[in-house]
Amino acid sequence: MLKGLATIDYINNSPDDLAFLWLELDQNTEKPGSLASILNPAPKKNQENSPTDALWFHFNKIQILQNGKWIDADYFVEGTRMQLRLPAPMKGNGQSLQIKIDYSFRLQESS
């Protein structure tokens, strides 16, 4: 089992305000419902019911630093993409924020 705590420093260099961010979760290709699992189904042994046995990300906690305080993030995962909904629109032209992700991922036996 691989476990980690990642911190992302994000700067919005776009001139546009952002209400949400998209994160790519490439390891979720084995997750039921992902496009990759639909086009190329994995053997049944990889499609466990328990999130800790599954071959995709399990998120224990995702938080955003806002006004000097960590708050739980509102997010939605669909296949290999995560939409992270921001508590307030992120201004363009240089506004920054931090995201903290506590996650785990079961490695394949061949890893």
Side-chain angles (χ1 to χ4, degrees), residues 31-62:
K31 187 172 185 175
S34 72
L35 183 57
S37 73
I38 292 169
L39 295 175
N40 189 20
K44 294 276 188 211
K45 68 177 184 174
N46 289 341
Q47 296 180 0
E48 305 289 340
N49 290 329
S50 169
T52 57
D53 292 335
L55 295 175
W56 54 85
F57 283 110
H58 173 74
F59 299 105
N60 301 311
K61 185 178 275 194
I62 300 177

PDB file of all heavy atoms in Angstrom, residues 31-62:
ATOM      1  N   LYS A  31     -10.425   1.905 -12.100  1.00  0.00           N
ATOM      2  CA  LYS A  31     -11.661   2.164 -11.353  1.00  0.00           C
ATOM      3  C   LYS A  31     -12.880   1.886 -12.230  1.00  0.00           C
ATOM      4  O   LYS A  31     -12.954   2.354 -13.363  1.00  0.00           O
ATOM      5  CB  LYS A  31     -11.686   3.614 -10.871  1.00  0.00           C
ATOM      6  CG  LYS A  31     -12.846   3.915  -9.950  1.00  0.00           C
ATOM      7  CD  LYS A  31     -12.728   5.296  -9.358  1.00  0.00           C
ATOM      8  CE  LYS A  31     -13.850   5.497  -8.362  1.00  0.00           C
ATOM      9  NZ  LYS A  31     -13.727   6.769  -7.672  1.00  0.00           N
ATOM     10  N   PRO A  32     -13.834   1.087 -11.709  1.00  0.00           N
ATOM     11  CA  PRO A  32     -15.056   0.840 -12.494  1.00  0.00           C
ATOM     12  C   PRO A  32     -15.715   2.158 -12.903  1.00  0.00           C
ATOM     13  O   PRO A  32     -15.807   3.084 -12.102  1.00  0.00           O
ATOM     14  CB  PRO A  32     -15.935   0.055 -11.521  1.00  0.00           C
ATOM     15  CG  PRO A  32     -14.975  -0.589 -10.575  1.00  0.00           C
ATOM     16  CD  PRO A  32     -13.845   0.397 -10.437  1.00  0.00           C
ATOM     17  N   GLY A  33     -16.110   2.233 -14.151  1.00  0.00           N
ATOM     18  CA  GLY A  33     -16.738   3.438 -14.673  1.00  0.00           C
ATOM     19  C   GLY A  33     -15.775   4.373 -15.381  1.00  0.00           C
ATOM     20  O   GLY A  33     -16.205   5.271 -16.090  1.00  0.00           O
ATOM     21  N   SER A  34     -14.460   4.180 -15.190  1.00  0.00           N
ATOM     22  CA  SER A  34     -13.507   5.026 -15.915  1.00  0.00           C
ATOM     23  C   SER A  34     -13.536   4.604 -17.386  1.00  0.00           C
ATOM     24  O   SER A  34     -13.838   3.461 -17.713  1.00  0.00           O
ATOM     25  CB  SER A  34     -12.087   4.891 -15.355  1.00  0.00           C
ATOM     26  OG  SER A  34     -11.528   3.644 -15.697  1.00  0.00           O
ATOM     27  N   LEU A  35     -13.226   5.520 -18.264  1.00  0.00           N
ATOM     28  CA  LEU A  35     -13.239   5.220 -19.691  1.00  0.00           C
ATOM     29  C   LEU A  35     -12.315   4.048 -20.009  1.00  0.00           C
ATOM     30  O   LEU A  35     -12.666   3.158 -20.785  1.00  0.00           O
ATOM     31  CB  LEU A  35     -12.850   6.459 -20.502  1.00  0.00           C
ATOM     32  CG  LEU A  35     -12.897   6.322 -22.013  1.00  0.00           C
ATOM     33  CD1 LEU A  35     -14.289   5.899 -22.489  1.00  0.00           C
ATOM     34  CD2 LEU A  35     -12.479   7.616 -22.688  1.00  0.00           C
ATOM     35  N   ALA A  36     -11.138   4.022 -19.390  1.00  0.00           N
ATOM     36  CA  ALA A  36     -10.191   2.924 -19.644  1.00  0.00           C
ATOM     37  C   ALA A  36     -10.764   1.579 -19.218  1.00  0.00           C
ATOM     38  O   ALA A  36     -10.591   0.583 -19.905  1.00  0.00           O
ATOM     39  CB  ALA A  36      -8.879   3.189 -18.914  1.00  0.00           C
ATOM     40  N   SER A  37     -11.478   1.533 -18.084  1.00  0.00           N
ATOM     41  CA  SER A  37     -12.038   0.252 -17.626  1.00  0.00           C
ATOM     42  C   SER A  37     -13.218  -0.191 -18.491  1.00  0.00           C
ATOM     43  O   SER A  37     -13.490  -1.378 -18.599  1.00  0.00           O
ATOM     44  CB  SER A  37     -12.450   0.331 -16.156  1.00  0.00           C
ATOM     45  OG  SER A  37     -13.616   1.109 -15.992  1.00  0.00           O
ATOM     46  N   ILE A  38     -13.885   0.757 -19.102  1.00  0.00           N
ATOM     47  CA  ILE A  38     -14.998   0.420 -19.999  1.00  0.00           C
ATOM     48  C   ILE A  38     -14.454  -0.129 -21.321  1.00  0.00           C
ATOM     49  O   ILE A  38     -14.937  -1.138 -21.838  1.00  0.00           O
ATOM     50  CB  ILE A  38     -15.899   1.649 -20.242  1.00  0.00           C
ATOM     51  CG1 ILE A  38     -16.634   2.010 -18.944  1.00  0.00           C
ATOM     52  CG2 ILE A  38     -16.898   1.394 -21.371  1.00  0.00           C
ATOM     53  CD1 ILE A  38     -17.334   3.352 -18.990  1.00  0.00           C
ATOM     54  N   LEU A  39     -13.420   0.526 -21.858  1.00  0.00           N
ATOM     55  CA  LEU A  39     -12.861   0.112 -23.147  1.00  0.00           C
ATOM     56  C   LEU A  39     -12.002  -1.144 -23.042  1.00  0.00           C
ATOM     57  O   LEU A  39     -11.910  -1.915 -23.995  1.00  0.00           O
ATOM     58  CB  LEU A  39     -12.030   1.249 -23.746  1.00  0.00           C
ATOM     59  CG  LEU A  39     -12.805   2.510 -24.122  1.00  0.00           C
ATOM     60  CD1 LEU A  39     -11.854   3.603 -24.586  1.00  0.00           C
ATOM     61  CD2 LEU A  39     -13.857   2.217 -25.177  1.00  0.00           C
ATOM     62  N   ASN A  40     -11.365  -1.346 -21.886  1.00  0.00           N
ATOM     63  CA  ASN A  40     -10.477  -2.485 -21.690  1.00  0.00           C
ATOM     64  C   ASN A  40     -10.694  -3.049 -20.283  1.00  0.00           C
ATOM     65  O   ASN A  40      -9.886  -2.805 -19.390  1.00  0.00           O
ATOM     66  CB  ASN A  40      -9.023  -2.044 -21.879  1.00  0.00           C
ATOM     67  CG  ASN A  40      -8.071  -3.206 -21.895  1.00  0.00           C
ATOM     68  OD1 ASN A  40      -8.455  -4.347 -22.123  1.00  0.00           O
ATOM     69  ND2 ASN A  40      -6.811  -2.919 -21.631  1.00  0.00           N
ATOM     70  N   PRO A  41     -11.784  -3.795 -20.068  1.00  0.00           N
ATOM     71  CA  PRO A  41     -12.105  -4.279 -18.723  1.00  0.00           C
ATOM     72  C   PRO A  41     -10.977  -5.125 -18.125  1.00  0.00           C
ATOM     73  O   PRO A  41     -10.365  -5.939 -18.809  1.00  0.00           O
ATOM     74  CB  PRO A  41     -13.350  -5.126 -18.932  1.00  0.00           C
ATOM     75  CG  PRO A  41     -13.902  -4.712 -20.254  1.00  0.00           C
ATOM     76  CD  PRO A  41     -12.737  -4.238 -21.072  1.00  0.00           C
ATOM     77  N   ALA A  42     -10.714  -4.891 -16.844  1.00  0.00           N
ATOM     78  CA  ALA A  42      -9.692  -5.659 -16.123  1.00  0.00           C
ATOM     79  C   ALA A  42     -10.290  -6.989 -15.677  1.00  0.00           C
ATOM     80  O   ALA A  42     -11.513  -7.117 -15.548  1.00  0.00           O
ATOM     81  CB  ALA A  42      -9.223  -4.859 -14.915  1.00  0.00           C
ATOM     82  N   PRO A  43      -9.445  -7.970 -15.419  1.00  0.00           N
ATOM     83  CA  PRO A  43      -9.953  -9.221 -14.856  1.00  0.00           C
ATOM     84  C   PRO A  43     -10.683  -8.959 -13.553  1.00  0.00           C
ATOM     85  O   PRO A  43     -10.360  -8.014 -12.834  1.00  0.00           O
ATOM     86  CB  PRO A  43      -8.677 -10.042 -14.615  1.00  0.00           C
ATOM     87  CG  PRO A  43      -7.640  -9.437 -15.491  1.00  0.00           C
ATOM     88  CD  PRO A  43      -8.006  -7.994 -15.632  1.00  0.00           C
ATOM     89  N   LYS A  44     -11.662  -9.762 -13.233  1.00  0.00           N
ATOM     90  CA  LYS A  44     -12.503  -9.568 -12.055  1.00  0.00           C
ATOM     91  C   LYS A  44     -11.706  -9.417 -10.765  1.00  0.00           C
ATOM     92  O   LYS A  44     -12.102  -8.713  -9.880  1.00  0.00           O
ATOM     93  CB  LYS A  44     -13.491 -10.736 -11.909  1.00  0.00           C
ATOM     94  CG  LYS A  44     -14.495 -10.803 -13.019  1.00  0.00           C
ATOM     95  CD  LYS A  44     -15.653  -9.891 -12.732  1.00  0.00           C
ATOM     96  CE  LYS A  44     -16.728 -10.137 -13.785  1.00  0.00           C
ATOM     97  NZ  LYS A  44     -17.491  -8.989 -14.082  1.00  0.00           N
ATOM     98  N   LYS A  45     -10.534 -10.066 -10.656  1.00  0.00           N
ATOM     99  CA  LYS A  45      -9.759 -10.006  -9.423  1.00  0.00           C
ATOM    100  C   LYS A  45      -9.318  -8.581  -9.074  1.00  0.00           C
ATOM    101  O   LYS A  45      -9.047  -8.281  -7.933  1.00  0.00           O
ATOM    102  CB  LYS A  45      -8.539 -10.911  -9.481  1.00  0.00           C
ATOM    103  CG  LYS A  45      -7.483 -10.468 -10.463  1.00  0.00           C
ATOM    104  CD  LYS A  45      -6.275 -11.370 -10.416  1.00  0.00           C
ATOM    105  CE  LYS A  45      -5.194 -10.833 -11.334  1.00  0.00           C
ATOM    106  NZ  LYS A  45      -3.968 -11.575 -11.216  1.00  0.00           N
ATOM    107  N   ASN A  46      -9.241  -7.658 -10.044  1.00  0.00           N
ATOM    108  CA  ASN A  46      -8.831  -6.285  -9.779  1.00  0.00           C
ATOM    109  C   ASN A  46      -9.994  -5.371  -9.422  1.00  0.00           C
ATOM    110  O   ASN A  46      -9.786  -4.211  -9.136  1.00  0.00           O
ATOM    111  CB  ASN A  46      -8.099  -5.703 -10.997  1.00  0.00           C
ATOM    112  CG  ASN A  46      -6.747  -6.326 -11.188  1.00  0.00           C
ATOM    113  OD1 ASN A  46      -6.201  -6.918 -10.268  1.00  0.00           O
ATOM    114  ND2 ASN A  46      -6.201  -6.205 -12.373  1.00  0.00           N
ATOM    115  N   GLN A  47     -11.192  -5.876  -9.452  1.00  0.00           N
ATOM    116  CA  GLN A  47     -12.346  -5.028  -9.187  1.00  0.00           C
ATOM    117  C   GLN A  47     -12.935  -5.391  -7.825  1.00  0.00           C
ATOM    118  O   GLN A  47     -14.022  -5.914  -7.714  1.00  0.00           O
ATOM    119  CB  GLN A  47     -13.373  -5.159 -10.307  1.00  0.00           C
ATOM    120  CG  GLN A  47     -12.823  -4.662 -11.631  1.00  0.00           C
ATOM    121  CD  GLN A  47     -13.813  -4.768 -12.765  1.00  0.00           C
ATOM    122  OE1 GLN A  47     -14.932  -5.207 -12.586  1.00  0.00           O
ATOM    123  NE2 GLN A  47     -13.401  -4.358 -13.932  1.00  0.00           N
ATOM    124  N   GLU A  48     -12.191  -5.106  -6.768  1.00  0.00           N
ATOM    125  CA  GLU A  48     -12.599  -5.397  -5.407  1.00  0.00           C
ATOM    126  C   GLU A  48     -13.626  -4.368  -4.945  1.00  0.00           C
ATOM    127  O   GLU A  48     -13.718  -3.276  -5.475  1.00  0.00           O
ATOM    128  CB  GLU A  48     -11.381  -5.366  -4.476  1.00  0.00           C
ATOM    129  CG  GLU A  48     -10.264  -6.286  -4.895  1.00  0.00           C
ATOM    130  CD  GLU A  48     -10.591  -7.753  -4.710  1.00  0.00           C
ATOM    131  OE1 GLU A  48     -11.500  -8.067  -3.921  1.00  0.00           O
ATOM    132  OE2 GLU A  48      -9.935  -8.584  -5.360  1.00  0.00           O
ATOM    133  N   ASN A  49     -14.346  -4.715  -3.901  1.00  0.00           N
ATOM    134  CA  ASN A  49     -15.356  -3.809  -3.351  1.00  0.00           C
ATOM    135  C   ASN A  49     -14.771  -2.838  -2.327  1.00  0.00           C
ATOM    136  O   ASN A  49     -15.265  -1.749  -2.158  1.00  0.00           O
ATOM    137  CB  ASN A  49     -16.497  -4.605  -2.710  1.00  0.00           C
ATOM    138  CG  ASN A  49     -17.323  -5.321  -3.757  1.00  0.00           C
ATOM    139  OD1 ASN A  49     -17.451  -4.850  -4.876  1.00  0.00           O
ATOM    140  ND2 ASN A  49     -17.869  -6.463  -3.399  1.00  0.00           N
ATOM    141  N   SER A  50     -13.737  -3.244  -1.606  1.00  0.00           N
ATOM    142  CA  SER A  50     -13.154  -2.413  -0.562  1.00  0.00           C
ATOM    143  C   SER A  50     -12.241  -1.351  -1.178  1.00  0.00           C
ATOM    144  O   SER A  50     -11.369  -1.677  -1.966  1.00  0.00           O
ATOM    145  CB  SER A  50     -12.349  -3.280   0.399  1.00  0.00           C
ATOM    146  OG  SER A  50     -11.588  -2.460   1.255  1.00  0.00           O
ATOM    147  N   PRO A  51     -12.423  -0.068  -0.795  1.00  0.00           N
ATOM    148  CA  PRO A  51     -11.549   0.977  -1.352  1.00  0.00           C
ATOM    149  C   PRO A  51     -10.071   0.736  -1.045  1.00  0.00           C
ATOM    150  O   PRO A  51      -9.212   1.129  -1.805  1.00  0.00           O
ATOM    151  CB  PRO A  51     -12.040   2.253  -0.670  1.00  0.00           C
ATOM    152  CG  PRO A  51     -13.395   1.951  -0.164  1.00  0.00           C
ATOM    153  CD  PRO A  51     -13.446   0.470   0.088  1.00  0.00           C
ATOM    154  N   THR A  52      -9.761   0.068   0.065  1.00  0.00           N
ATOM    155  CA  THR A  52      -8.356  -0.161   0.400  1.00  0.00           C
ATOM    156  C   THR A  52      -7.761  -1.286  -0.434  1.00  0.00           C
ATOM    157  O   THR A  52      -6.555  -1.422  -0.516  1.00  0.00           O
ATOM    158  CB  THR A  52      -8.186  -0.473   1.897  1.00  0.00           C
ATOM    159  OG1 THR A  52      -8.987  -1.610   2.218  1.00  0.00           O
ATOM    160  CG2 THR A  52      -8.578   0.715   2.744  1.00  0.00           C
ATOM    161  N   ASP A  53      -8.593  -2.138  -1.040  1.00  0.00           N
ATOM    162  CA  ASP A  53      -8.111  -3.209  -1.902  1.00  0.00           C
ATOM    163  C   ASP A  53      -8.111  -2.809  -3.376  1.00  0.00           C
ATOM    164  O   ASP A  53      -7.579  -3.509  -4.209  1.00  0.00           O
ATOM    165  CB  ASP A  53      -8.987  -4.462  -1.744  1.00  0.00           C
ATOM    166  CG  ASP A  53      -8.823  -5.094  -0.379  1.00  0.00           C
ATOM    167  OD1 ASP A  53      -7.759  -4.902   0.240  1.00  0.00           O
ATOM    168  OD2 ASP A  53      -9.758  -5.768   0.067  1.00  0.00           O
ATOM    169  N   ALA A  54      -8.724  -1.725  -3.690  1.00  0.00           N
ATOM    170  CA  ALA A  54      -8.930  -1.318  -5.072  1.00  0.00           C
ATOM    171  C   ALA A  54      -7.653  -0.744  -5.685  1.00  0.00           C
ATOM    172  O   ALA A  54      -6.818  -0.182  -4.985  1.00  0.00           O
ATOM    173  CB  ALA A  54     -10.040  -0.282  -5.139  1.00  0.00           C
ATOM    174  N   LEU A  55      -7.535  -0.879  -6.998  1.00  0.00           N
ATOM    175  CA  LEU A  55      -6.379  -0.358  -7.727  1.00  0.00           C
ATOM    176  C   LEU A  55      -6.648   1.055  -8.229  1.00  0.00           C
ATOM    177  O   LEU A  55      -6.456   1.357  -9.399  1.00  0.00           O
ATOM    178  CB  LEU A  55      -6.024  -1.291  -8.886  1.00  0.00           C
ATOM    179  CG  LEU A  55      -5.556  -2.681  -8.488  1.00  0.00           C
ATOM    180  CD1 LEU A  55      -5.355  -3.543  -9.726  1.00  0.00           C
ATOM    181  CD2 LEU A  55      -4.272  -2.604  -7.682  1.00  0.00           C
ATOM    182  N   TRP A  56      -7.098   1.919  -7.339  1.00  0.00           N
ATOM    183  CA  TRP A  56      -7.292   3.328  -7.670  1.00  0.00           C
ATOM    184  C   TRP A  56      -7.129   4.130  -6.390  1.00  0.00           C
ATOM    185  O   TRP A  56      -7.062   3.594  -5.294  1.00  0.00           O
ATOM    186  CB  TRP A  56      -8.643   3.588  -8.343  1.00  0.00           C
ATOM    187  CG  TRP A  56      -9.842   3.094  -7.599  1.00  0.00           C
ATOM    188  CD1 TRP A  56     -10.509   3.761  -6.600  1.00  0.00           C
ATOM    189  CD2 TRP A  56     -10.530   1.866  -7.781  1.00  0.00           C
ATOM    190  NE1 TRP A  56     -11.557   3.014  -6.163  1.00  0.00           N
ATOM    191  CE2 TRP A  56     -11.601   1.835  -6.876  1.00  0.00           C
ATOM    192  CE3 TRP A  56     -10.352   0.777  -8.626  1.00  0.00           C
ATOM    193  CZ2 TRP A  56     -12.483   0.772  -6.774  1.00  0.00           C
ATOM    194  CZ3 TRP A  56     -11.235  -0.281  -8.525  1.00  0.00           C
ATOM    195  CH2 TRP A  56     -12.284  -0.272  -7.622  1.00  0.00           C
ATOM    196  N   PHE A  57      -7.067   5.452  -6.535  1.00  0.00           N
ATOM    197  CA  PHE A  57      -6.845   6.320  -5.389  1.00  0.00           C
ATOM    198  C   PHE A  57      -7.990   6.233  -4.385  1.00  0.00           C
ATOM    199  O   PHE A  57      -9.160   6.190  -4.748  1.00  0.00           O
ATOM    200  CB  PHE A  57      -6.726   7.790  -5.826  1.00  0.00           C
ATOM    201  CG  PHE A  57      -5.405   8.134  -6.441  1.00  0.00           C
ATOM    202  CD1 PHE A  57      -5.310   8.415  -7.789  1.00  0.00           C
ATOM    203  CD2 PHE A  57      -4.261   8.194  -5.668  1.00  0.00           C
ATOM    204  CE1 PHE A  57      -4.100   8.751  -8.365  1.00  0.00           C
ATOM    205  CE2 PHE A  57      -3.040   8.522  -6.230  1.00  0.00           C
ATOM    206  CZ  PHE A  57      -2.955   8.808  -7.578  1.00  0.00           C
ATOM    207  N   HIS A  58      -7.614   6.249  -3.113  1.00  0.00           N
ATOM    208  CA  HIS A  58      -8.562   6.406  -2.015  1.00  0.00           C
ATOM    209  C   HIS A  58      -8.129   7.687  -1.291  1.00  0.00           C
ATOM    210  O   HIS A  58      -6.965   7.814  -0.900  1.00  0.00           O
ATOM    211  CB  HIS A  58      -8.517   5.207  -1.066  1.00  0.00           C
ATOM    212  CG  HIS A  58      -9.350   5.397   0.151  1.00  0.00           C
ATOM    213  ND1 HIS A  58     -10.725   5.341   0.131  1.00  0.00           N
ATOM    214  CD2 HIS A  58      -9.009   5.667   1.420  1.00  0.00           C
ATOM    215  CE1 HIS A  58     -11.186   5.556   1.337  1.00  0.00           C
ATOM    216  NE2 HIS A  58     -10.168   5.763   2.145  1.00  0.00           N
ATOM    217  N   PHE A  59      -9.042   8.629  -1.152  1.00  0.00           N
ATOM    218  CA  PHE A  59      -8.717   9.910  -0.512  1.00  0.00           C
ATOM    219  C   PHE A  59      -9.239   9.916   0.919  1.00  0.00           C
ATOM    220  O   PHE A  59     -10.434   9.763   1.148  1.00  0.00           O
ATOM    221  CB  PHE A  59      -9.302  11.075  -1.315  1.00  0.00           C
ATOM    222  CG  PHE A  59      -8.750  11.147  -2.704  1.00  0.00           C
ATOM    223  CD1 PHE A  59      -9.504  10.744  -3.789  1.00  0.00           C
ATOM    224  CD2 PHE A  59      -7.459  11.580  -2.917  1.00  0.00           C
ATOM    225  CE1 PHE A  59      -8.984  10.775  -5.071  1.00  0.00           C
ATOM    226  CE2 PHE A  59      -6.925  11.620  -4.197  1.00  0.00           C
ATOM    227  CZ  PHE A  59      -7.691  11.221  -5.269  1.00  0.00           C
ATOM    228  N   ASN A  60      -8.307  10.087   1.860  1.00  0.00           N
ATOM    229  CA  ASN A  60      -8.689  10.172   3.260  1.00  0.00           C
ATOM    230  C   ASN A  60      -9.174  11.567   3.608  1.00  0.00           C
ATOM    231  O   ASN A  60     -10.120  11.726   4.369  1.00  0.00           O
ATOM    232  CB  ASN A  60      -7.510   9.782   4.158  1.00  0.00           C
ATOM    233  CG  ASN A  60      -7.048   8.374   3.868  1.00  0.00           C
ATOM    234  OD1 ASN A  60      -7.844   7.449   3.808  1.00  0.00           O
ATOM    235  ND2 ASN A  60      -5.749   8.212   3.663  1.00  0.00           N
ATOM    236  N   LYS A  61      -8.493  12.572   3.030  1.00  0.00           N
ATOM    237  CA  LYS A  61      -8.875  13.957   3.291  1.00  0.00           C
ATOM    238  C   LYS A  61      -8.265  14.848   2.219  1.00  0.00           C
ATOM    239  O   LYS A  61      -7.110  14.653   1.832  1.00  0.00           O
ATOM    240  CB  LYS A  61      -8.391  14.393   4.665  1.00  0.00           C
ATOM    241  CG  LYS A  61      -8.858  15.784   5.066  1.00  0.00           C
ATOM    242  CD  LYS A  61      -8.379  16.152   6.455  1.00  0.00           C
ATOM    243  CE  LYS A  61      -9.370  15.588   7.444  1.00  0.00           C
ATOM    244  NZ  LYS A  61      -9.197  16.160   8.786  1.00  0.00           N
ATOM    245  N   ILE A  62      -9.049  15.803   1.759  1.00  0.00           N
ATOM    246  CA  ILE A  62      -8.547  16.833   0.846  1.00  0.00           C
ATOM    247  C   ILE A  62      -8.940  18.173   1.449  1.00  0.00           C
ATOM    248  O   ILE A  62     -10.107  18.385   1.788  1.00  0.00           O
ATOM    249  CB  ILE A  62      -9.140  16.673  -0.571  1.00  0.00           C
ATOM    250  CG1 ILE A  62      -8.757  15.310  -1.144  1.00  0.00           C
ATOM    251  CG2 ILE A  62      -8.646  17.803  -1.478  1.00  0.00           C
ATOM    252  CD1 ILE A  62      -9.348  15.016  -2.500  1.00  0.00           C
TER     253      ILE A  62
END
